[in-house]
Amino acid sequence: MLILLWGGGTPLIEANRVGCDSIGFDINPMAWWIVREQIEHLDLDEYRVAASKLRQALENEVGDYYKTRCVVDGKTDAHVKYFLWVKVLVCDECKRSIDLFSSYLLAENVRHLRNVLVCSGCGELNEVADRKVPGRCQSCTKTLQEIGAVVRGSCKCPGCGKLHRIPGKPTEPFAQRLFAIEYVNHECKIPHEGRFF
C-alpha cells in the first residue's frame, strides 16, 4: 500500500497498526520524523494483545449500551453501528415539536436493496422501491416524501404554519431525538440482504 502523507502521517500509522505493508512519502521532514518515531519500535504482536484486552475491557464496561434487538430475528444482542439523531425545534407559537430533517431519505438503494424513508408523520422507517413515487407509510398511511421539513434555511410548522429560520437565534441548543439505530447482525439466521435498521 502506498500512502502520501500530510500532517502527522495518521493513515500510514493506522495502516501499519492493522498489519498492512505500507510505504509513505512526504516532503516535510518533520512529518517523516513523527511517523518514524511512532512506528519504528512498534511490536505488532504486543499491539494486537493490548488491543484485544482493551476491546474486551470496553465490551465489559459499556458493551450493553451498544446492543439492540434485531427486527428480523428478534434476538437482543445485535451490535449497534450508529445511533441516528435528529434535532428538534419547538414552535414558539403552537409549541409543536418539529423534527428538523433536511431530507427524509435515510438510505438509498445502493448499499441497501431499497430506499429507506422516515415518515414525516409518525417517524417510522419505510422501505420503498421508487423515491419519486414512495407511496404511503406502512404504519400511519401518511404520504411519504423525500424533502424534509428544513428547506433553504427555514422550516414551516405543520401545526400552525409559522415560518422558522434555521438555525435562527435559539436561546439554548436544539433538543435531539433518537429516530433510528443501524446495527449489524452476523448471526441472523433469517435471510436478509442489505443494511439493518
Side-chain angles (χ1 to χ4, degrees):
M1 174 186 298
L2 176 64
I3 299 174
L4 298 176
L5 302 179
W6 59 92
T10 304
L12 182 65
I13 293 166
E14 294 306 315
N16 183 274
R17 286 183 177 165
V18 297
C20 296
D21 291 327
S22 52
I23 300 171
F25 291 90
D26 198 302
I27 61 170
N28 183 340
M30 180 56 81
W32 169 84
W33 180 82
I34 291 169
V35 173
R36 187 195 72 187
E37 290 300 307
Q38 288 185 313
I39 67 174
E40 187 173 44
H41 303 292
L42 182 64
D43 182 333
L44 285 177
D45 292 331
E46 188 177 323
Y47 175 79
R48 285 187 189 97
V49 169
S52 179
K53 285 180 182 176
L54 176 61
R55 189 197 63 76
Q56 191 58 56
L58 290 171
E59 178 73 28
N60 294 341
E61 184 75 21
V62 297
D64 288 342
Y65 297 115
Y66 293 88
K67 299 276 175 67
T68 190
R69 183 182 64 82
C70 177
V71 297
V72 179
D73 67 9
K75 292 185 179 175
T76 57
D77 60 351
H79 292 275
V80 172
K81 189 174 178 183
Y82 300 112
F83 294 100
L84 302 165
W85 298 83
V86 61
K87 291 180 180 172
V88 178
L89 170 74
V90 177
C91 177
D92 52 15
E93 286 287 328
C94 69
K95 306 305 180 201
R96 179 177 178 150
S97 292
I98 308 162
D99 290 339
L100 298 178
F101 285 104
S102 58
S103 171
Y104 291 113
L105 179 66
L106 176 59
E108 293 182 76
N109 59 348
V110 177
R111 292 185 325 153
H112 196 67
L113 296 179
R114 300 174 68 128
N115 301 292
V116 180
L117 290 171
V118 180
C119 174
S120 64
C122 68
E124 282 293 317
L125 303 185
N126 292 262
E127 293 191 354
V128 299
D130 187 352
R131 286 164 42 189
K132 296 191 185 335
V133 188
R136 295 185 173 275
C137 174
Q138 61 194 3
S139 294
C140 72
T141 70
K142 182 175 174 121
T143 301
L144 296 169
Q145 62 189 52
E146 185 175 342
I147 297 171
V150 179
V151 179
R152 294 188 183 96
S154 63
C155 175
K156 187 176 182 181
C157 176
C160 67
K162 179 175 179 177
L163 195 63
H164 297 271
R165 295 291 305 154
I166 305 298
K169 294 182 180 177
T171 56
E172 55 188 48
F174 288 113
Q176 296 194 39
R177 180 180 73 79
L178 179 68
F179 73 93
I181 294 174
E182 183 174 359
Y183 61 95
V184 292
N185 186 356
H186 299 296
E187 288 76 39
C188 189
K189 303 296 183 201
I190 301 168
H192 176 82
E193 294 184 52
R195 298 160 68 182
F196 288 91
F197 292 103

Short mmCIF file of all heavy atoms in Angstrom, two decimals, residues 143-183:
data_model
loop_
_atom_site.label_atom_id
_atom_site.label_comp_id
_atom_site.label_asym_id
_atom_site.label_seq_id
_atom_site.Cartn_x
_atom_site.Cartn_y
_atom_site.Cartn_z
N THR A 143 -48.73 10.10 3.34
CA THR A 143 -47.93 10.05 2.11
C THR A 143 -46.48 10.32 2.44
O THR A 143 -46.16 11.32 3.11
CB THR A 143 -48.44 11.07 1.07
OG1 THR A 143 -49.82 10.79 0.78
CG2 THR A 143 -47.63 11.02 -0.20
N LEU A 144 -45.59 9.44 1.99
CA LEU A 144 -44.16 9.59 2.24
C LEU A 144 -43.58 10.64 1.30
O LEU A 144 -44.07 10.84 0.19
CB LEU A 144 -43.45 8.25 2.04
CG LEU A 144 -43.84 7.14 3.01
CD1 LEU A 144 -43.27 5.81 2.56
CD2 LEU A 144 -43.39 7.47 4.42
N GLN A 145 -42.51 11.29 1.75
CA GLN A 145 -41.85 12.30 0.93
C GLN A 145 -40.35 12.28 1.23
O GLN A 145 -39.93 11.84 2.30
CB GLN A 145 -42.42 13.69 1.22
CG GLN A 145 -42.21 14.14 2.67
CD GLN A 145 -42.96 15.41 3.00
OE1 GLN A 145 -44.16 15.50 2.75
NE2 GLN A 145 -42.26 16.39 3.55
N GLU A 146 -39.58 12.73 0.27
CA GLU A 146 -38.13 12.78 0.44
C GLU A 146 -37.68 14.13 1.00
O GLU A 146 -36.78 14.20 1.83
CB GLU A 146 -37.42 12.49 -0.87
CG GLU A 146 -35.92 12.40 -0.72
CD GLU A 146 -35.21 12.00 -2.00
OE1 GLU A 146 -35.85 11.46 -2.91
OE2 GLU A 146 -33.99 12.24 -2.08
N ILE A 147 -38.30 15.21 0.56
CA ILE A 147 -37.89 16.54 1.00
C ILE A 147 -38.28 16.73 2.46
O ILE A 147 -39.43 16.51 2.85
CB ILE A 147 -38.53 17.64 0.13
CG1 ILE A 147 -38.04 17.50 -1.31
CG2 ILE A 147 -38.21 19.03 0.66
CD1 ILE A 147 -38.76 18.37 -2.31
N GLY A 148 -37.30 17.14 3.26
CA GLY A 148 -37.51 17.28 4.70
C GLY A 148 -38.21 18.56 5.10
O GLY A 148 -38.60 19.38 4.26
N ALA A 149 -38.33 18.75 6.40
CA ALA A 149 -39.02 19.92 6.94
C ALA A 149 -38.20 21.19 6.75
O ALA A 149 -38.75 22.28 6.63
CB ALA A 149 -39.31 19.70 8.42
N VAL A 150 -36.86 21.07 6.74
CA VAL A 150 -35.99 22.24 6.60
C VAL A 150 -35.63 22.41 5.13
O VAL A 150 -35.02 21.54 4.52
CB VAL A 150 -34.70 22.08 7.44
CG1 VAL A 150 -33.80 23.30 7.26
CG2 VAL A 150 -35.04 21.87 8.91
N VAL A 151 -36.04 23.54 4.57
CA VAL A 151 -35.78 23.83 3.15
C VAL A 151 -35.19 25.24 3.07
O VAL A 151 -35.80 26.20 3.54
CB VAL A 151 -37.07 23.74 2.31
CG1 VAL A 151 -36.77 24.07 0.85
CG2 VAL A 151 -37.70 22.36 2.43
N ARG A 152 -34.00 25.34 2.51
CA ARG A 152 -33.32 26.64 2.32
C ARG A 152 -33.26 27.46 3.61
O ARG A 152 -33.57 28.65 3.63
CB ARG A 152 -33.99 27.43 1.20
CG ARG A 152 -33.83 26.81 -0.16
CD ARG A 152 -34.34 27.73 -1.25
NE ARG A 152 -34.27 27.11 -2.54
CZ ARG A 152 -35.29 26.48 -3.13
NH1 ARG A 152 -36.45 26.41 -2.52
NH2 ARG A 152 -35.13 25.93 -4.32
N GLY A 153 -32.89 26.81 4.70
CA GLY A 153 -32.68 27.53 5.94
C GLY A 153 -33.92 27.93 6.70
O GLY A 153 -33.86 28.76 7.60
N SER A 154 -35.08 27.37 6.33
CA SER A 154 -36.29 27.68 7.07
C SER A 154 -37.16 26.44 7.21
O SER A 154 -37.01 25.48 6.46
CB SER A 154 -37.08 28.82 6.41
OG SER A 154 -37.50 28.42 5.13
N CYS A 155 -38.06 26.49 8.18
CA CYS A 155 -38.93 25.36 8.47
C CYS A 155 -40.31 25.89 8.80
O CYS A 155 -40.47 26.77 9.65
CB CYS A 155 -38.35 24.59 9.66
SG CYS A 155 -39.40 23.26 10.22
N LYS A 156 -41.31 25.36 8.10
CA LYS A 156 -42.69 25.78 8.35
C LYS A 156 -43.33 24.79 9.32
O LYS A 156 -43.31 23.59 9.11
CB LYS A 156 -43.46 25.79 7.02
CG LYS A 156 -44.85 26.36 7.13
CD LYS A 156 -45.48 26.41 5.74
CE LYS A 156 -46.86 27.02 5.81
NZ LYS A 156 -47.49 27.05 4.47
N CYS A 157 -43.89 25.30 10.39
CA CYS A 157 -44.53 24.44 11.38
C CYS A 157 -45.75 23.77 10.76
O CYS A 157 -46.63 24.46 10.22
CB CYS A 157 -44.95 25.26 12.61
SG CYS A 157 -45.85 24.27 13.83
N PRO A 158 -45.83 22.43 10.81
CA PRO A 158 -47.00 21.76 10.24
C PRO A 158 -48.27 21.98 11.06
O PRO A 158 -49.37 21.75 10.58
CB PRO A 158 -46.60 20.28 10.25
CG PRO A 158 -45.49 20.16 11.21
CD PRO A 158 -44.83 21.50 11.31
N GLY A 159 -48.13 22.45 12.29
CA GLY A 159 -49.30 22.68 13.14
C GLY A 159 -49.97 24.01 12.88
O GLY A 159 -51.16 24.08 12.57
N CYS A 160 -49.20 25.11 12.96
CA CYS A 160 -49.79 26.45 12.84
C CYS A 160 -49.34 27.20 11.60
O CYS A 160 -49.87 28.26 11.29
CB CYS A 160 -49.47 27.26 14.09
SG CYS A 160 -47.71 27.66 14.27
N GLY A 161 -48.32 26.69 10.90
CA GLY A 161 -47.87 27.33 9.67
C GLY A 161 -46.82 28.41 9.87
O GLY A 161 -46.37 29.03 8.90
N LYS A 162 -46.38 28.66 11.11
CA LYS A 162 -45.36 29.69 11.34
C LYS A 162 -44.05 29.28 10.68
O LYS A 162 -43.63 28.13 10.76
CB LYS A 162 -45.14 29.93 12.83
CG LYS A 162 -44.06 30.98 13.05
CD LYS A 162 -43.86 31.36 14.47
CE LYS A 162 -42.73 32.39 14.53
NZ LYS A 162 -42.50 32.88 15.85
N LEU A 163 -43.38 30.26 10.05
CA LEU A 163 -42.10 30.01 9.40
C LEU A 163 -40.97 30.32 10.38
O LEU A 163 -40.91 31.40 10.95
CB LEU A 163 -41.96 30.89 8.15
CG LEU A 163 -40.86 30.52 7.17
CD1 LEU A 163 -41.10 29.14 6.57
CD2 LEU A 163 -40.75 31.56 6.07
N HIS A 164 -40.10 29.34 10.59
CA HIS A 164 -38.96 29.48 11.49
C HIS A 164 -37.68 29.50 10.68
O HIS A 164 -37.50 28.69 9.76
CB HIS A 164 -38.88 28.29 12.47
CG HIS A 164 -40.05 28.19 13.39
ND1 HIS A 164 -40.08 28.82 14.60
CD2 HIS A 164 -41.23 27.52 13.27
CE1 HIS A 164 -41.23 28.55 15.20
NE2 HIS A 164 -41.94 27.76 14.42
N ARG A 165 -36.77 30.42 11.00
CA ARG A 165 -35.44 30.44 10.38
C ARG A 165 -34.58 29.42 11.12
O ARG A 165 -34.61 29.33 12.34
CB ARG A 165 -34.79 31.82 10.51
CG ARG A 165 -35.51 32.92 9.76
CD ARG A 165 -35.44 32.83 8.25
NE ARG A 165 -34.07 32.75 7.77
CZ ARG A 165 -33.72 32.18 6.61
NH1 ARG A 165 -34.62 31.64 5.83
NH2 ARG A 165 -32.47 32.16 6.25
N ILE A 166 -33.82 28.63 10.37
CA ILE A 166 -32.95 27.60 10.95
C ILE A 166 -31.51 27.93 10.58
O ILE A 166 -31.22 28.07 9.40
CB ILE A 166 -33.32 26.19 10.43
CG1 ILE A 166 -34.81 25.89 10.66
CG2 ILE A 166 -32.45 25.13 11.08
CD1 ILE A 166 -35.23 25.87 12.11
N PRO A 167 -30.57 28.09 11.49
CA PRO A 167 -30.74 27.85 12.91
C PRO A 167 -31.37 29.01 13.65
O PRO A 167 -31.70 28.86 14.83
CB PRO A 167 -29.32 27.61 13.39
CG PRO A 167 -28.46 28.42 12.48
CD PRO A 167 -29.17 28.37 11.15
N GLY A 168 -31.53 30.16 13.05
CA GLY A 168 -32.11 31.29 13.77
C GLY A 168 -31.20 31.70 14.92
O GLY A 168 -29.99 31.59 14.85
N LYS A 169 -31.80 32.18 16.00
CA LYS A 169 -31.04 32.55 17.20
C LYS A 169 -31.65 31.83 18.41
O LYS A 169 -32.32 32.46 19.24
CB LYS A 169 -31.06 34.06 17.41
CG LYS A 169 -30.32 34.80 16.31
CD LYS A 169 -30.31 36.29 16.58
CE LYS A 169 -29.55 37.01 15.47
NZ LYS A 169 -29.57 38.45 15.64
N PRO A 170 -31.41 30.52 18.49
CA PRO A 170 -32.01 29.79 19.62
C PRO A 170 -31.41 30.25 20.94
O PRO A 170 -30.23 30.57 21.03
CB PRO A 170 -31.68 28.33 19.32
CG PRO A 170 -30.50 28.37 18.40
CD PRO A 170 -30.59 29.65 17.63
N THR A 171 -32.24 30.30 21.97
CA THR A 171 -31.76 30.70 23.30
C THR A 171 -31.01 29.56 23.98
O THR A 171 -30.27 29.78 24.92
CB THR A 171 -32.94 31.13 24.19
OG1 THR A 171 -33.89 30.06 24.23
CG2 THR A 171 -33.60 32.38 23.64
N GLU A 172 -31.20 28.32 23.49
CA GLU A 172 -30.50 27.16 24.01
C GLU A 172 -30.32 26.18 22.86
O GLU A 172 -30.98 26.29 21.83
CB GLU A 172 -31.27 26.53 25.16
CG GLU A 172 -32.69 26.15 24.82
CD GLU A 172 -33.47 25.71 26.05
OE1 GLU A 172 -33.41 26.41 27.06
OE2 GLU A 172 -34.13 24.67 25.98
N PRO A 173 -29.41 25.21 23.00
CA PRO A 173 -29.20 24.25 21.91
C PRO A 173 -30.49 23.48 21.60
O PRO A 173 -31.33 23.27 22.48
CB PRO A 173 -28.13 23.30 22.48
CG PRO A 173 -27.50 24.04 23.60
CD PRO A 173 -28.53 24.97 24.14
N PHE A 174 -30.60 23.05 20.34
CA PHE A 174 -31.76 22.25 19.95
C PHE A 174 -31.75 20.94 20.73
O PHE A 174 -30.70 20.33 20.95
CB PHE A 174 -31.71 21.92 18.46
CG PHE A 174 -31.99 23.08 17.56
CD1 PHE A 174 -30.99 23.60 16.75
CD2 PHE A 174 -33.25 23.66 17.51
CE1 PHE A 174 -31.24 24.67 15.91
CE2 PHE A 174 -33.50 24.74 16.67
CZ PHE A 174 -32.50 25.25 15.87
N ALA A 175 -32.94 20.49 21.12
CA ALA A 175 -33.07 19.14 21.68
C ALA A 175 -32.83 18.16 20.53
O ALA A 175 -32.90 18.54 19.35
CB ALA A 175 -34.47 18.95 22.25
N GLN A 176 -32.52 16.93 20.87
CA GLN A 176 -32.33 15.90 19.85
C GLN A 176 -33.15 14.68 20.19
O GLN A 176 -33.40 14.40 21.37
CB GLN A 176 -30.85 15.54 19.73
CG GLN A 176 -30.02 16.71 19.26
CD GLN A 176 -28.64 16.29 18.82
OE1 GLN A 176 -28.45 15.25 18.21
NE2 GLN A 176 -27.66 17.10 19.14
N ARG A 177 -33.57 13.96 19.15
CA ARG A 177 -34.39 12.76 19.33
C ARG A 177 -33.76 11.61 18.56
O ARG A 177 -33.38 11.76 17.40
CB ARG A 177 -35.80 13.04 18.81
CG ARG A 177 -36.76 11.88 18.94
CD ARG A 177 -38.14 12.24 18.41
NE ARG A 177 -38.20 12.33 16.97
CZ ARG A 177 -38.27 11.29 16.13
NH1 ARG A 177 -38.28 10.06 16.60
NH2 ARG A 177 -38.34 11.49 14.83
N LEU A 178 -33.63 10.48 19.23
CA LEU A 178 -33.14 9.27 18.57
C LEU A 178 -34.26 8.75 17.67
O LEU A 178 -35.35 8.46 18.15
CB LEU A 178 -32.77 8.21 19.61
CG LEU A 178 -32.27 6.87 19.09
CD1 LEU A 178 -30.91 7.03 18.41
CD2 LEU A 178 -32.17 5.87 20.22
N PHE A 179 -34.01 8.68 16.35
CA PHE A 179 -35.08 8.23 15.47
C PHE A 179 -34.82 6.88 14.83
O PHE A 179 -35.72 6.25 14.28
CB PHE A 179 -35.38 9.29 14.39
CG PHE A 179 -34.33 9.40 13.31
CD1 PHE A 179 -34.43 8.68 12.14
CD2 PHE A 179 -33.25 10.25 13.49
CE1 PHE A 179 -33.47 8.80 11.15
CE2 PHE A 179 -32.29 10.38 12.50
CZ PHE A 179 -32.40 9.64 11.32
N ALA A 180 -33.58 6.39 14.90
CA ALA A 180 -33.28 5.08 14.32
C ALA A 180 -31.95 4.59 14.85
O ALA A 180 -31.12 5.36 15.36
CB ALA A 180 -33.25 5.15 12.80
N ILE A 181 -31.74 3.29 14.71
CA ILE A 181 -30.46 2.66 15.05
C ILE A 181 -30.08 1.78 13.87
O ILE A 181 -30.91 1.01 13.38
CB ILE A 181 -30.59 1.79 16.32
CG1 ILE A 181 -30.87 2.66 17.55
CG2 ILE A 181 -29.33 0.96 16.54
CD1 ILE A 181 -31.14 1.87 18.82
N GLU A 182 -28.85 1.93 13.40
CA GLU A 182 -28.33 0.98 12.42
C GLU A 182 -27.45 0.00 13.18
O GLU A 182 -26.68 0.39 14.04
CB GLU A 182 -27.52 1.67 11.32
CG GLU A 182 -27.06 0.68 10.27
CD GLU A 182 -26.37 1.30 9.06
OE1 GLU A 182 -26.26 2.53 9.00
OE2 GLU A 182 -25.95 0.53 8.17
N TYR A 183 -27.58 -1.28 12.86
CA TYR A 183 -26.85 -2.30 13.59
C TYR A 183 -26.38 -3.39 12.64
O TYR A 183 -26.73 -3.41 11.46
CB TYR A 183 -27.73 -2.90 14.71
CG TYR A 183 -28.99 -3.57 14.23
CD1 TYR A 183 -29.02 -4.95 14.00
CD2 TYR A 183 -30.15 -2.85 14.01
CE1 TYR A 183 -30.17 -5.57 13.55
CE2 TYR A 183 -31.30 -3.47 13.56
CZ TYR A 183 -31.31 -4.83 13.34
OH TYR A 183 -32.45 -5.44 12.89
#
